Amino acid sequence: MSVAASTVASPARQRILNTASGLFYARGLRAVGVDTIIAESGVAKATFYKHFPAKDDLIVAYLDTVDRVWSGQLHDAAQAAGPSPAGQLVALFDALDAACRRDGYRGCGFINAAAEAAVGTPVHNRTITHKREVLGWMRSLAHEAGARDPDRLARSLSLLLDGALASGALDADPEAADVARSTAAELVRDAVPG
């Protein structure tokens, strides 16, 4: 296990990660160099490389953080709907509304990372893992809701979620979340026998 993959959270490591996270989200993964991260985080070059031997290690750590935050927001929004899995499938789109209305919103960190990462790299693989986990969770909820075709419903909702995340950034229109939520309600209503 590399140092970057360990769970050791020193103040310097956290400062590097916090600095990089803001820069990566605002400017993009490849536009931000290691020297910029080192300068803005106020750590020595040796300290940086002690915690993140390669830039991709830092990017994966950033994506791990994005995953914890975004997945937590999705799950919290779903659970706020109560115990109905069908209701949770629709309510998870409430997290989208909050995200799209946030100052500085630039879309989904994972979609942005996937656009910049070469296929087969650790960064690209981390984006795939995240998307598969969200899709798997949606599939589980669709199955629990009694959907006729849980795989298709989950895939449709996943595409809708990703499309709304992208639209919110490209159009700078937070109303994309409202449209996505109402469309999700229609998809769930049509897919779950009532």
Side-chain angles (χ1 to χ4, degrees):
M1 175 187 273
S2 73
V3 173
S6 73
T7 58
V8 176
S10 75
R13 182 184 191 283
Q14 195 58 51
R15 193 167 56 251
I16 294 165
L17 183 55
N18 290 346
T19 300
S21 293
L23 292 169
F24 288 155
Y25 189 72
R27 299 182 193 171
L29 303 178
R30 299 297 166 214
V32 177
V34 168
D35 290 339
T36 300
I37 296 166
I38 289 169
E40 292 202 20
S41 65
V43 299
K45 190 174 273 199
T47 301
F48 176 90
Y49 284 108
K50 173 185 164 197
H51 293 289
F52 300 102
K55 184 178 175 186
D56 277 358
D57 294 328
L58 177 57
I59 295 171
V60 169
Y62 155 69
L63 292 173
D64 288 344
T65 301
V66 171
D67 183 33
R68 278 190 301 278
V69 171
W70 178 236
S71 293
Q73 291 169 341
L74 287 172
H75 285 266
D76 288 348
Q79 290 173 355
S84 164
Q88 290 179 6
L89 283 167
V90 176
L92 69 86
F93 282 83
D94 291 341
L96 178 64
D97 184 62
C100 289
R101 294 182 190 283
R102 188 179 71 235
D103 282 342
Y105 178 71
R106 290 199 62 247
C108 173
F110 283 96
I111 293 171
N112 296 345
E116 290 191 55
V119 174
T121 62
V123 172
H124 189 264
N125 292 341
R126 182 62 182 96
T127 66
I128 291 170
T129 297
H130 168 77
K131 292 300 179 183
R132 283 184 181 155
E133 288 171 353
V134 172
L135 180 61
W137 171 60
M138 289 179 169
R139 186 180 300 114
S140 176
L141 286 174
H143 179 74
E144 291 172 28
R148 287 179 203 86
D149 187 345
D151 291 334
R152 184 173 181 83
L153 177 58
R155 184 71 174 133
S156 297
L157 292 173
S158 176
L159 289 169
L160 181 61
L161 182 65
D162 286 345
L165 285 164
S167 179
L170 295 172
D171 306 337
D173 182 4
E175 298 305 313
D178 294 336
V179 173
R181 191 184 200 287
S182 63
T183 303
E186 291 174 23
L187 288 169
V188 170
R189 190 171 42 251
D190 290 346
V192 176

